[in-house]
Amino acid sequence: LWEAGLGLSALTLPHYRGSDQNQSWLLPLPYFVYRGDIFRADRDGARAVFVDSQRFDVDVSVGFSAPTRGDDNVARRGMPELAGALEVGPNVNLRLARGPGWKVEFRLPVHAVFTVQREPKAIGWTTQPNVNVDWRIADWNVGAQIGMLAGTRRYHDYIYGVDSRYATATRAAYDAPGGHAGWRLTSGVSRRFGNWWFGAFVRADSVAGAAFHDSPLVKRDHNLSAGVALSWVF
């Protein structure tokens, strides 16, 4: 029913999508798998499954994004820091095709976003309709996902908006609109070696053509993220 472990993860991430600066993290990694009928935590994430059939399922999933200190980012210098964010909301998964050791799904998550700080606040909604492919190759789990992103005006303005009091000669005031937020391609692998679990991912993000592309805080159209992790399952 469940497994638990502990390990380390190393990540390199952009400060935010469209930033020209990266930050690296070395973090403890709790490993937890739970295979309940409703509550599950597995390679598809932590979620509560409310509808489950051979063709589709509906669950509630969660996500998290790392914080960025304003003074650590040149483009945002003098502005408030971007707090870490918690995303939670319903997710619809439609199975398009499957075979021995592989499956293709269309996924539609819709998440409310909240800052993670002493006084959390709601900062809007985001969605990422995508196509997800999973293979089982030998003892490796291999996955790839491609999809577009969209968000509300409030969510985009939290990241890409520039209030008039923070405007400078090189950073104009800007109100970010809602709508299209670019594209994302993610690939990853994982494997169990006895009591050890290994995982790695690479992610490419593009904000070219995004509704907020004219923001003075967008310094690059494309970003790469990557990470590796190793856990001992005790």
Side-chain angles (χ1 to χ4, degrees):
L1 179 65
W2 62 272
E3 296 176 279
L6 185 64
L8 282 175
S9 61
L11 307 170
T12 178
L13 310 169
H15 284 189
Y16 53 88
R17 299 177 65 245
S19 173
D20 59 354
Q21 294 179 249
N22 284 16
Q23 53 191 345
S24 297
W25 301 83
L26 183 63
L27 300 172
L29 178 72
Y31 178 93
F32 186 70
V33 174
Y34 186 80
R35 305 179 181 89
D37 292 333
I38 296 178
F39 297 103
R40 301 176 190 173
D42 53 26
R43 64 191 304 265
D44 292 325
R47 64 205 193 280
V49 181
F50 296 111
V51 178
D52 192 1
S53 73
Q54 297 216 351
R55 290 291 298 172
F56 76 97
D57 62 66
V58 179
D59 59 47
V60 172
S61 59
V62 296
F64 181 77
S65 59
T68 298
R69 291 186 60 85
D71 288 342
D72 290 342
N73 184 273
V74 175
R76 296 184 58 87
R77 187 157 292 163
M79 297 180 63
E81 68 176 24
L82 292 176
L86 176 69
E87 302 181 11
V88 59
N91 181 36
V92 177
N93 304 309
L94 176 64
R95 296 176 183 88
L96 302 178
R98 68 186 309 163
W102 63 272
K103 65 180 179 179
V104 181
E105 295 180 324
F106 171 75
R107 298 180 176 180
L108 180 59
V110 179
H111 287 165
V113 189
F114 303 88
T115 59
V116 179
Q117 53 188 2
R118 180 173 299 178
E119 296 182 1
K121 60 180 180 179
I123 54 173
W125 293 77
T126 183
T127 184
Q128 185 189 342
N130 63 81
V131 174
N132 186 86
V133 183
D134 282 307
W135 299 272
R136 180 76 174 180
I137 302 175
D139 292 325
W140 290 88
N141 296 307
V142 181
Q145 184 183 98
I146 185 170
M148 62 164 287
L149 292 86
T152 60
R153 183 202 63 79
R154 189 176 182 184
Y155 176 68
H156 289 168
D157 204 52
Y158 175 74
I159 303 173
Y160 301 101
V162 179
D163 190 272
S164 57
R165 58 185 158 166
Y166 301 119
T168 68
T170 58
R171 184 174 64 205
Y174 182 78
D175 292 322
H180 179 57
W183 297 85
R184 170 174 288 170
L185 171 64
T186 306
S187 63
V189 296
S190 65
R191 181 175 174 174
R192 280 287 294 272
F193 298 89
N195 288 340
W196 292 92
W197 175 89
F198 170 81
F201 81 93
V202 176
R203 172 177 294 162
D205 271 295
S206 173
V207 297
F212 51 78
H213 189 264
D214 291 337
S215 168
L217 302 178
V218 174
K219 298 298 184 181
R220 179 180 294 170
D221 284 351
H222 308 288
N223 295 110
L224 280 177
S225 308
V228 295
L230 183 66
S231 290
W232 176 54
V233 183
F234 50 74

